[in-house]
Amino acid sequence: MTDALFVSLQVILAAIAVYQFLFSLFGLRRTKRKEVYAPQKSFAVLVAAHNEEEVVGALMENLKQLHYPKELYDVFVICDNCTDNTAKIVREHGMNACVRTNTNLRGKGYAIEWMLKELWAMPRQYDAVVMFDADNLADTEFLMEMNNDLCSGARVIQGYIDTKNPEDSWITAAYGVSYWYINRLWQLSRHNLQMANFLGGTGMCFETSLLKEMGWGATSLVEDLEFTMRSASKGVYPRFNYDAKVFDEKPLTFKASSRQRLRWMQGHFTVARRYFFPLIWQSIKERNLIKFDLALYGANVYVVLLTFLMTAAIWIDNSLFGGPHIANIYGHLPIWLSYFAIGANVFTFLLSMALEKVRYKKVYLYLLTFPIYLLSWYPITFYAFFTQNNKQWSHTKHTRVVRLEEVQSKQV
């Protein structure tokens, strides 16, 4: 019975790995043709901030420089339970500081939900809502790209999330490599296949009428994934805009990174528990590959957990108990196939960097430590499984002040 379970799980995990690899191949090409529209959509730009006095000023300067008619967008910074000068700095830049104090309902999801209610009560209404984090920098064409997608019928749009500090440490380099891979071989591949993309927490755009119709309702630790699943269940699929770049600050240390990723995995377990089976059932009933693909993405946290547990069980069995006593189909496969699978995984990361024309020299040196970052996801996910009921928001402190010109100069 145990052997049958192990073999079944190994076959399922192998099938998922092959499925994801084949999908990634559709991100190799990039279609540049698209319709360009004159600026016509109005935007409420929301910035979620909690004690961000060190970085929010740079974002305010950045948002003033967007290549979009100034009368068509306004910036609202949600100063959520701030105890520093975030609101003061925002006002000094002539932007709207919206102060929220609620020590019981803490976190970005609750802050956004509060801000949207405030926004709907204002005299001016906007065609769409764009969301950034306080540590971000947006490409000057960001709103123009959102305008193009909205005019062509998109209702939920995710921009390209890049890293503004990939050379700061081996951890920021690892984030950079991961996001180049995700943007090119996950997001772009699904965009090319006209499937749904997933939201990434920042650089997001929502049609106002959709938000009013659905409500925000995403208050878990991963509000972006939660809203992705909610909208997909209603047949509204997020679209990816490769040219709408937003640069995000990544944690400098392994400790800070682990804390952030633990929060993500805890939230992923919550969302998977809530949406996986309903989406899978819908995908079967409707014969809908898009919903199946999103359900599989939502359940990826369980794929990581099962891979870790099964690998650990086989290693313990062989090392401590003189195994094999556990069925292992991989042990019966040709050795070259195992090397090919490992090589294919490594190749996809290197390929994504080549396709994205990454020019950060230090990042290539930090590739030596990249496997440590990848392997660390396993114990983090394992711990997250047992602490998934923790709903406490852990704030990632941002201190890296970078201007858009500095980021762009390093990419040339």
Side-chain angles (χ1 to χ4, degrees), residues 41-48 63 66 68-78 96 98 112 115-116 118-120 122 124-132 142-143 146 150 203-208 211-212:
K41 299 295 183 179
S42 60
F43 296 93
V45 179
L46 306 189
V47 179
L63 294 178
L66 297 182
Y68 202 74
K70 297 298 181 282
E71 67 274 11
L72 286 180
Y73 74 95
D74 291 314
V75 177
F76 302 89
V77 180
I78 314 167
N96 301 289
C98 306
I112 290 171
M115 186 67 235
L116 290 177
E118 296 289 308
L119 202 61
W120 305 155
M122 292 179 185
R124 182 180 184 183
Q125 295 297 292
Y126 302 86
D127 294 315
V129 174
V130 166
M131 297 183 191
F132 293 119
F142 190 92
L143 290 185
M146 295 297 113
L150 289 167
M204 306 178 291
C205 179
F206 307 87
E207 185 185 59
T208 296
L211 284 176
K212 288 184 176 180

Side-chain angles (χ1 to χ4, degrees), residues 152-265:
S152 65
R155 305 190 75 187
V156 182
I157 310 155
Q158 174 61 57
Y160 184 117
I161 303 178
D162 209 337
T163 306
K164 78 178 186 183
N165 60 329
E167 294 186 299
D168 281 0
S169 72
W170 71 276
I171 280 292
T172 62
Y175 273 97
V177 174
S178 298
Y179 274 84
W180 291 317
Y181 166 79
I182 289 168
N183 283 305
R184 188 70 192 223
L185 300 182
W186 274 71
Q187 295 281 50
L188 185 60
S189 61
R190 281 154 177 80
H191 175 77
N192 287 340
L193 290 168
Q194 297 186 335
M195 296 184 62
N197 292 103
F198 55 87
L199 297 173
T202 188
M204 306 178 291
C205 179
F206 307 87
E207 185 185 59
T208 296
S209 60
L210 177 68
L211 284 176
K212 288 184 176 180
E213 173 191 325
M214 282 182 56
W216 178 245
T219 54
S220 69
L221 294 177
V222 284
E223 75 292 330
D224 47 359
L225 179 61
E226 186 176 3
F227 193 90
T228 299
M229 297 302 173
R230 284 189 64 229
S231 61
S233 65
K234 297 179 182 297
V236 179
Y237 306 127
R239 182 187 296 184
F240 178 60
N241 189 311
Y242 181 92
D243 298 303
K245 287 200 172 185
V246 56
F247 299 90
D248 186 45
E249 180 184 332
K250 303 306 179 188
L252 294 172
T253 66
F254 183 78
K255 181 179 179 181
S257 165
S258 298
R259 189 164 55 242
Q260 182 186 66
R261 289 184 287 152
L262 175 62
R263 171 169 56 83
W264 289 348
M265 292 299 98

